[in-house]
Amino acid sequence: QVDLAAYAWKPVLVMFFTETCPYCTKAAPFIEKMNKDHKSGGLNVVGVSLNSDASYAAEFARHYGLTFPVAYGGKSVARQYQANGVPYIYLLKKDHTIYNVWAGYHESMDEEIKSGIADVLK
C-alpha cells in the first residue's frame, strides 16, 4: 500500500496503470527516468495498478525496472482522482493539489511533463 500522507509537503508524480495497456508500457520507462532524474531534487513517484492481484504489479515493476513504489488494487483511488482510463498521470504540488493531469501517454507529452516537474520542484 502507498499512502500519500507519507509524502506530505513533497511533490508527487502518480501514474495509474494496468499491466496490459500498451500506452502504460510506453509510459513506464519515461516515468522511471523522471524518478531517477528528479528524485534527488525532491520529486516522489508512485505507480498505482488498477489490478487487484499484487503479482501483476510486481511483475510490471520488475519488467520495466521500476525503482519507485508500486501499489495495486487502485481502482477506487483512481475513481477518486477521476481517472477515466489508463495511463493517467497526475503531477501533484507540494500541498498535493493537482498541478496537471495527462490522460494517456505519448512521447510528445514528455517535454510538458518535464516542465511541470521543474515547476513543482521550485
Side-chain angles (χ1 to χ4, degrees):
Q1 289 188 349
V2 175
D3 184 358
L4 279 181
Y7 303 101
W9 298 106
K10 298 175 185 174
V12 183
L13 185 67
V14 180
M15 179 177 76
F16 291 98
F17 70 94
T18 61
E19 298 75 14
T20 57
C21 160
Y23 298 103
C24 299
T25 62
K26 289 181 182 181
F30 173 73
I31 299 298
E32 175 59 22
K33 181 170 177 17
M34 294 302 93
N35 179 56
K36 287 182 176 176
D37 290 354
H38 300 286
K39 186 174 189 156
S40 64
L43 181 69
N44 295 272
V45 177
V46 176
V48 181
S49 170
L50 302 189
N51 196 312
S52 60
D53 187 331
S55 66
Y56 289 107
E59 175 57 24
F60 185 85
R62 187 202 61 74
H63 182 78
Y64 292 100
L66 305 181
T67 59
F68 53 84
V70 175
Y72 66 96
K75 282 185 182 177
S76 64
V77 176
R79 278 193 295 272
Q80 290 172 1
Y81 275 85
Q82 299 177 352
N84 296 316
V86 289
Y88 252 68
I89 302 167
Y90 289 79
L91 181 57
L92 308 178
K93 296 186 269 185
K94 291 177 183 177
D95 64 0
H96 291 180
T97 58
I98 296 172
Y99 175 87
N100 205 346
V101 179
W102 294 273
Y105 175 76
H106 187 271
E107 293 84 7
S108 63
M109 299 172 167
D110 290 0
E111 291 307 314
E112 184 180 355
I113 295 171
K114 289 177 188 178
S115 175
I117 291 169
D119 282 349
V120 301
L121 289 177
K122 288 181 184 174

